[in-house]
Amino acid sequence: MAADHHPRFLMCPPNHFAVTYSINPWMDPEGWRERADTLAQTSEAEWRSLKSLLEQLGAIVDLMDPAAGAPDLVFTANAAVVLDGTALLARFRYLERRLEEPHFAAALKALIGRNVLKRCAFLPADIVLEGAGDCIWDPERNLFWMGFGPRSSKHAAAIIRETFGFPTLSMELIDSRFYHLDTAFSVLAEGEIMYFKEALSSSSLHKLYERVDIRDRIEVSEEDACTMHLNAIRIGRKLVLSSCSSRLRRQLADRGYSVSITSLSSFNLSGGSAYCLTLRTDLSSDSRLLASNIYSESDT
Ligand code: ARG
Protein backbone atom coordinates (compact mmCIF):
# COMPACT_ATOMS: atom_id res chain seq x y z
CA MET A 1 0.00 0.00 0.00
CA ALA A 2 1.43 3.41 -0.95
CA ALA A 3 2.05 5.71 1.98
CA ASP A 4 -0.73 8.09 0.96
CA HIS A 5 -3.26 5.37 0.23
CA HIS A 6 -6.18 5.12 2.60
CA PRO A 7 -8.17 1.90 2.86
CA ARG A 8 -11.78 2.71 2.05
CA PHE A 9 -14.96 1.10 3.33
CA LEU A 10 -18.69 1.41 2.68
CA MET A 11 -20.82 1.26 5.82
CA CYS A 12 -24.54 1.72 6.54
CA PRO A 13 -25.72 3.30 9.81
CA PRO A 14 -27.81 0.92 11.93
CA ASN A 15 -30.90 3.16 12.30
CA HIS A 16 -33.15 0.29 11.21
CA PHE A 17 -31.02 -2.62 12.34
CA ALA A 18 -32.87 -5.32 14.31
CA VAL A 19 -33.44 -9.05 14.23
CA THR A 20 -36.94 -9.29 12.80
CA TYR A 21 -36.68 -12.62 10.93
CA SER A 22 -34.46 -15.65 11.03
CA ILE A 23 -32.37 -16.72 8.04
CA ASN A 24 -29.43 -18.14 9.98
CA PRO A 25 -29.17 -20.07 13.27
CA TRP A 26 -27.92 -17.06 15.24
CA MET A 27 -31.05 -14.97 14.60
CA ASP A 28 -33.79 -15.08 17.25
CA PRO A 29 -36.43 -12.41 16.56
CA GLU A 30 -38.31 -13.11 19.79
CA GLY A 31 -35.22 -12.78 21.94
CA TRP A 32 -34.43 -9.52 20.18
CA ARG A 33 -37.98 -8.15 20.69
CA GLU A 34 -37.70 -8.65 24.45
CA ARG A 35 -34.74 -6.26 24.62
CA ALA A 36 -35.33 -4.29 21.42
CA ASP A 37 -34.83 -0.78 22.83
CA THR A 38 -31.62 -1.57 24.67
CA LEU A 39 -30.27 -3.54 21.74
CA ALA A 40 -31.04 -0.71 19.31
CA GLN A 41 -29.01 1.65 21.51
CA THR A 42 -26.21 -0.88 21.83
CA SER A 43 -26.03 -1.38 18.07
CA GLU A 44 -25.87 2.36 17.50
CA ALA A 45 -22.97 2.73 19.95
CA GLU A 46 -21.13 -0.38 18.72
CA TRP A 47 -21.41 0.64 15.08
CA ARG A 48 -20.07 4.13 15.88
CA SER A 49 -17.10 2.68 17.75
CA LEU A 50 -16.30 0.39 14.83
CA LYS A 51 -16.44 3.32 12.42
CA SER A 52 -14.16 5.48 14.55
CA LEU A 53 -11.72 2.64 15.10
CA LEU A 54 -11.42 2.19 11.32
CA GLU A 55 -10.89 5.93 10.93
CA GLN A 56 -8.23 5.88 13.63
CA LEU A 57 -6.52 3.13 11.66
CA GLY A 58 -6.39 5.47 8.67
CA ALA A 59 -9.47 4.33 6.76
CA ILE A 60 -11.97 6.48 4.89
CA VAL A 61 -15.56 5.44 5.55
CA ASP A 62 -18.25 6.20 2.97
CA LEU A 63 -21.79 6.00 4.24
CA MET A 64 -24.96 4.85 2.53
CA ASP A 65 -28.53 5.60 3.57
CA PRO A 66 -30.23 3.14 5.90
CA ALA A 67 -33.74 2.02 4.89
CA ALA A 68 -36.77 1.12 6.99
CA GLY A 69 -37.77 -2.52 6.54
CA ALA A 70 -34.24 -3.58 5.56
CA PRO A 71 -32.63 -4.40 8.92
CA ASP A 72 -29.69 -6.33 7.45
CA LEU A 73 -28.64 -3.47 5.17
CA VAL A 74 -25.95 -2.71 7.78
CA PHE A 75 -24.07 -5.77 6.51
CA THR A 76 -22.52 -3.98 3.56
CA ALA A 77 -20.01 -6.78 2.92
CA ASN A 78 -22.95 -8.45 1.23
CA ALA A 79 -23.58 -5.54 -1.16
CA ALA A 80 -21.13 -6.48 -3.88
CA VAL A 81 -17.79 -7.97 -4.82
CA VAL A 82 -15.35 -5.14 -5.50
CA LEU A 83 -11.96 -5.18 -7.19
CA ASP A 84 -10.04 -2.66 -9.33
CA GLY A 85 -12.94 -0.21 -9.30
CA THR A 86 -15.54 -2.71 -10.53
CA ALA A 87 -18.42 -3.68 -8.25
CA LEU A 88 -20.48 -6.78 -9.00
CA LEU A 89 -23.83 -6.18 -7.33
CA ALA A 90 -25.03 -9.01 -5.07
CA ARG A 91 -28.14 -11.09 -5.47
CA PHE A 92 -29.54 -12.57 -2.27
CA ARG A 93 -30.93 -16.02 -1.71
CA TYR A 94 -33.69 -15.00 0.71
CA LEU A 95 -36.53 -12.60 -0.08
CA GLU A 96 -35.96 -10.88 3.27
CA ARG A 97 -32.65 -9.60 1.90
CA ARG A 98 -33.52 -9.29 -1.79
CA LEU A 99 -35.17 -5.98 -1.07
CA GLU A 100 -31.73 -4.62 -0.15
CA GLU A 101 -30.49 -4.95 -3.73
CA PRO A 102 -31.85 -1.60 -5.06
CA HIS A 103 -30.44 0.16 -1.97
CA PHE A 104 -27.01 -1.32 -2.54
CA ALA A 105 -27.25 -0.53 -6.27
CA ALA A 106 -27.97 3.11 -5.43
CA ALA A 107 -25.08 3.22 -2.98
CA LEU A 108 -22.65 1.81 -5.57
CA LYS A 109 -23.92 4.30 -8.14
CA ALA A 110 -23.25 7.12 -5.69
CA LEU A 111 -19.69 5.81 -5.20
CA ILE A 112 -19.21 5.79 -8.99
CA GLY A 113 -20.46 9.40 -9.05
CA ARG A 114 -17.76 10.29 -6.52
CA ASN A 115 -15.05 8.38 -8.40
CA VAL A 116 -14.58 5.87 -5.60
CA LEU A 117 -15.68 3.14 -8.03
CA LYS A 118 -15.55 2.99 -11.82
CA ARG A 119 -18.40 0.71 -12.83
CA CYS A 120 -21.09 -1.63 -11.64
CA ALA A 121 -21.65 -5.12 -13.10
CA PHE A 122 -24.65 -7.38 -12.62
CA LEU A 123 -25.19 -11.11 -12.13
CA PRO A 124 -27.27 -13.22 -14.50
CA ALA A 125 -30.85 -13.69 -13.24
CA ASP A 126 -30.42 -17.27 -12.04
CA ILE A 127 -27.25 -16.79 -9.97
CA VAL A 128 -27.17 -15.84 -6.30
CA LEU A 129 -23.98 -14.43 -4.79
CA GLU A 130 -24.01 -12.51 -1.53
CA GLY A 131 -21.14 -10.13 -2.24
CA ALA A 132 -17.85 -10.09 -0.38
CA GLY A 133 -19.39 -12.29 2.31
CA ASP A 134 -18.92 -15.23 -0.05
CA CYS A 135 -16.12 -13.90 -2.22
CA ILE A 136 -12.91 -12.94 -0.47
CA TRP A 137 -9.98 -11.38 -2.31
CA ASP A 138 -6.60 -12.96 -1.65
CA PRO A 139 -3.98 -10.26 -2.38
CA GLU A 140 -1.08 -12.65 -2.02
CA ARG A 141 -2.32 -15.25 -4.51
CA ASN A 142 -4.30 -12.78 -6.65
CA LEU A 143 -7.46 -14.85 -6.62
CA PHE A 144 -10.87 -15.00 -5.00
CA TRP A 145 -11.83 -17.56 -2.36
CA MET A 146 -15.54 -18.22 -2.82
CA GLY A 147 -18.09 -19.78 -0.48
CA PHE A 148 -21.07 -21.69 -1.81
CA GLY A 149 -23.97 -23.69 -0.44
CA PRO A 150 -26.13 -21.89 2.10
CA ARG A 151 -26.33 -18.52 0.32
CA SER A 152 -24.35 -18.31 -2.91
CA SER A 153 -24.41 -20.59 -5.92
CA LYS A 154 -21.42 -22.59 -7.03
CA HIS A 155 -21.89 -21.24 -10.54
CA ALA A 156 -21.19 -17.70 -9.37
CA ALA A 157 -17.46 -18.52 -9.62
CA ALA A 158 -17.52 -18.47 -13.44
CA ILE A 159 -19.11 -15.00 -13.37
CA ILE A 160 -16.43 -13.76 -11.00
CA ARG A 161 -13.65 -15.05 -13.25
CA GLU A 162 -15.31 -13.45 -16.26
CA THR A 163 -16.01 -10.12 -14.55
CA PHE A 164 -12.67 -9.61 -12.82
CA GLY A 165 -10.32 -11.78 -14.87
CA PHE A 166 -8.89 -13.61 -11.85
CA PRO A 167 -8.96 -17.22 -10.72
CA THR A 168 -11.33 -18.51 -8.05
CA LEU A 169 -11.14 -21.27 -5.48
CA SER A 170 -14.53 -22.45 -4.25
CA MET A 171 -15.15 -23.69 -0.73
CA GLU A 172 -18.32 -25.60 0.09
CA LEU A 173 -19.92 -24.53 3.37
CA ILE A 174 -21.55 -27.42 5.19
CA ASP A 175 -22.48 -26.06 8.65
CA SER A 176 -25.54 -23.77 8.75
CA ARG A 177 -23.93 -21.63 11.48
CA PHE A 178 -21.25 -20.64 8.99
CA TYR A 179 -23.50 -19.63 6.13
CA HIS A 180 -21.13 -17.11 4.50
CA LEU A 181 -17.47 -17.86 3.85
CA ASP A 182 -16.48 -14.79 5.89
CA THR A 183 -17.85 -16.44 9.05
CA ALA A 184 -15.42 -19.35 8.75
CA PHE A 185 -12.51 -18.10 6.68
CA SER A 186 -10.20 -15.13 6.71
CA VAL A 187 -7.33 -14.18 4.42
CA LEU A 188 -4.43 -12.35 6.04
CA ALA A 189 -1.94 -9.96 4.45
CA GLU A 190 0.86 -12.45 3.82
CA GLY A 191 -1.46 -15.10 2.45
CA GLU A 192 -2.10 -16.91 5.72
CA ILE A 193 -5.56 -18.44 5.86
CA MET A 194 -7.39 -18.49 9.17
CA TYR A 195 -10.29 -20.95 9.07
CA PHE A 196 -12.64 -23.26 10.93
CA LYS A 197 -12.12 -26.70 9.49
CA GLU A 198 -15.52 -28.22 10.26
CA ALA A 199 -17.37 -25.53 8.30
CA LEU A 200 -15.84 -26.80 5.05
CA SER A 201 -16.59 -29.97 3.07
CA SER A 202 -13.82 -32.54 2.92
CA SER A 203 -13.13 -31.91 -0.76
CA SER A 204 -12.90 -28.16 -0.11
CA LEU A 205 -10.52 -28.78 2.78
CA HIS A 206 -8.44 -30.95 0.51
CA LYS A 207 -8.30 -28.11 -2.02
CA LEU A 208 -7.29 -25.69 0.74
CA TYR A 209 -4.50 -28.01 1.92
CA GLU A 210 -3.27 -28.36 -1.65
CA ARG A 211 -3.16 -24.64 -2.24
CA VAL A 212 -1.99 -23.30 1.12
CA ASP A 213 1.26 -24.36 2.72
CA ILE A 214 0.84 -25.80 6.21
CA ARG A 215 2.87 -22.90 7.64
CA ASP A 216 0.28 -20.50 6.28
CA ARG A 217 -2.73 -22.29 7.75
CA ILE A 218 -4.19 -21.03 11.01
CA GLU A 219 -6.86 -23.43 12.16
CA VAL A 220 -9.18 -22.04 14.84
CA SER A 221 -11.32 -23.81 17.42
CA GLU A 222 -15.10 -24.13 17.28
CA GLU A 223 -15.28 -21.68 20.16
CA ASP A 224 -13.25 -19.09 18.24
CA ALA A 225 -15.40 -19.62 15.16
CA CYS A 226 -18.66 -19.34 17.12
CA THR A 227 -17.56 -16.05 18.65
CA MET A 228 -16.95 -14.73 15.12
CA HIS A 229 -13.17 -14.49 15.49
CA LEU A 230 -12.80 -15.21 11.80
CA ASN A 231 -14.90 -12.26 10.70
CA ALA A 232 -11.93 -9.91 10.69
CA ILE A 233 -11.40 -6.62 8.94
CA ARG A 234 -7.83 -6.51 7.73
CA ILE A 235 -5.87 -3.33 7.28
CA GLY A 236 -2.38 -4.47 6.42
CA ARG A 237 -1.05 -6.20 9.52
CA LYS A 238 -3.81 -4.84 11.73
CA LEU A 239 -6.95 -6.85 12.32
CA VAL A 240 -10.23 -5.52 13.68
CA LEU A 241 -12.37 -8.04 15.52
CA SER A 242 -15.29 -8.04 17.94
CA SER A 243 -13.38 -10.32 20.32
CA CYS A 244 -10.37 -12.61 20.26
CA SER A 245 -9.22 -15.49 22.43
CA SER A 246 -5.81 -15.05 24.02
CA ARG A 247 -4.57 -18.14 22.19
CA LEU A 248 -5.52 -16.78 18.78
CA ARG A 249 -4.19 -13.33 19.66
CA ARG A 250 -0.83 -14.87 20.58
CA GLN A 251 -0.72 -16.91 17.39
CA LEU A 252 -1.45 -13.78 15.35
CA ALA A 253 1.10 -11.71 17.26
CA ASP A 254 3.76 -14.36 16.55
CA ARG A 255 3.09 -13.81 12.87
CA GLY A 256 3.31 -10.03 13.20
CA TYR A 257 -0.41 -9.19 13.31
CA SER A 258 -1.95 -6.94 15.91
CA VAL A 259 -5.60 -7.19 16.88
CA SER A 260 -7.90 -4.29 17.78
CA ILE A 261 -11.07 -5.27 19.56
CA THR A 262 -14.39 -3.45 19.41
CA SER A 263 -17.50 -5.10 20.77
CA LEU A 264 -20.21 -5.92 18.22
CA SER A 265 -22.44 -8.03 20.45
CA SER A 266 -25.74 -6.75 19.03
CA PHE A 267 -24.65 -7.56 15.46
CA ASN A 268 -23.46 -11.00 16.57
CA LEU A 269 -27.15 -11.68 17.36
CA SER A 270 -27.83 -11.36 13.65
CA GLY A 271 -24.93 -13.69 12.78
CA GLY A 272 -22.66 -10.84 11.73
CA SER A 273 -19.50 -9.15 12.96
CA ALA A 274 -16.74 -6.75 11.91
CA TYR A 275 -16.01 -7.84 8.33
CA CYS A 276 -19.76 -8.16 7.57
CA LEU A 277 -20.37 -4.53 8.55
CA THR A 278 -17.95 -3.15 5.96
CA LEU A 279 -17.35 -3.38 2.24
CA ARG A 280 -13.80 -2.64 1.17
CA THR A 281 -14.01 -0.52 -1.99
CA ASP A 282 -10.35 0.21 -2.77
CA LEU A 283 -9.05 -3.32 -3.33
CA SER A 284 -6.79 -3.59 -6.32
CA SER A 285 -5.00 -6.46 -7.97
CA ASP A 286 -1.34 -6.67 -8.63
CA SER A 287 -1.22 -6.64 -12.40
CA ARG A 288 2.33 -8.00 -12.39
CA LEU A 289 0.89 -11.35 -11.42
CA LEU A 290 -1.75 -11.42 -14.12
CA ALA A 291 0.29 -13.47 -16.52
CA SER A 292 1.58 -15.97 -13.97
CA ASN A 293 0.36 -19.53 -14.01
CA ILE A 294 -1.90 -19.50 -10.98
CA TYR A 295 -3.95 -22.64 -10.76
CA SER A 296 -7.67 -22.01 -11.05
CA GLU A 297 -10.55 -24.40 -10.88
CA SER A 298 -12.46 -24.28 -14.14
CA ASP A 299 -15.25 -26.70 -13.48
CA THR A 300 -17.41 -24.68 -11.10
N1 ARG B 1 -28.43 -11.46 9.29
C1 ARG B 1 -27.58 -11.40 8.15
C2 ARG B 1 -27.82 -12.58 7.23
O1 ARG B 1 -28.07 -13.65 7.73
C3 ARG B 1 -26.15 -11.36 8.59
C4 ARG B 1 -25.21 -11.16 7.43
C5 ARG B 1 -23.79 -11.14 7.84
N2 ARG B 1 -22.96 -10.86 6.75
C6 ARG B 1 -21.87 -11.55 6.39
N3 ARG B 1 -21.17 -11.10 5.41
N4 ARG B 1 -21.56 -12.68 6.97
O2 ARG B 1 -27.79 -12.48 6.03
Side-chain angles (χ1 to χ4, degrees), residues 105-158:
L108 298 173
K109 203 170 153 206
L111 291 178
I112 292 170
R114 290 161 52 203
N115 286 323
V116 177
L117 295 175
K118 288 191 216 126
R119 68 176 195 113
C120 191
F122 301 90
L123 288 160
D126 55 337
I127 302 278
V128 284
L129 172 60
E130 300 200 347
D134 264 335
C135 193
I136 302 175
W137 177 242
D138 182 331
E140 186 60 26
R141 299 177 183 82
N142 260 29
L143 56 78
F144 286 103
W145 292 94
M146 298 191 65
F148 72 94
R151 297 296 183 87
S152 301
S153 30
K154 195 178 181 195
H155 303 293

Side-chain angles (χ1 to χ4, degrees), residues 95-194:
L95 289 179
E96 287 88 341
R97 294 207 66 186
R98 275 216 173 163
L99 51 85
E100 296 173 29
E101 291 167 18
H103 298 288
F104 284 138
L108 298 173
K109 203 170 153 206
L111 291 178
I112 292 170
R114 290 161 52 203
N115 286 323
V116 177
L117 295 175
K118 288 191 216 126
R119 68 176 195 113
C120 191
F122 301 90
L123 288 160
D126 55 337
I127 302 278
V128 284
L129 172 60
E130 300 200 347
D134 264 335
C135 193
I136 302 175
W137 177 242
D138 182 331
E140 186 60 26
R141 299 177 183 82
N142 260 29
L143 56 78
F144 286 103
W145 292 94
M146 298 191 65
F148 72 94
R151 297 296 183 87
S152 301
S153 30
K154 195 178 181 195
H155 303 293
I159 313 296
I160 289 293
R161 294 195 293 271
E162 219 171 88
T163 306
F164 298 100
F166 285 98
T168 54
L169 283 169
S170 295
M171 298 281 110
E172 184 177 13
L173 299 167
I174 56 164
D175 181 329
S176 61
R177 294 171 300 172
F178 305 102
Y179 54 93
H180 282 139
L181 187 63
D182 67 7
T183 61
F185 196 97
S186 196
V187 181
L188 306 187
E190 301 294 323
E192 301 95 329
I193 305 287
M194 206 161 62

Side-chain angles (χ1 to χ4, degrees), residues 11-17 44 47-48 63-67 73-74:
M11 290 180 73
C12 175
N15 306 37
H16 303 289
F17 172 67
E44 188 68 39
W47 184 89
R48 274 189 200 296
L63 295 182
M64 62 176 280
D65 291 332
L73 202 61
V74 287

Side-chain angles (χ1 to χ4, degrees), residues 1 17 26-27 29 50-51 53 69 76 78 115 119 122 148 156 158 177 189 224 232 240 257 260 288 290 298:
M1 201 178 355
F17 172 67
W26 309 99
M27 298 174 85
L50 173 63
K51 178 173 176 284
L53 177 56
T76 51
N78 297 123
N115 286 323
R119 68 176 195 113
F122 301 90
F148 72 94
R177 294 171 300 172
D224 279 329
V240 174
Y257 293 96
S260 301
R288 285 170 306 165
L290 268 175
S298 53

Side-chain angles (χ1 to χ4, degrees), residues 252-273:
L252 290 168
D254 287 348
R255 291 169 183 266
Y257 293 96
S258 66
V259 177
S260 301
I261 300 293
T262 186
S263 171
L264 295 166
S265 59
S266 59
F267 299 100
N268 297 163
L269 297 173
S270 189
S273 197

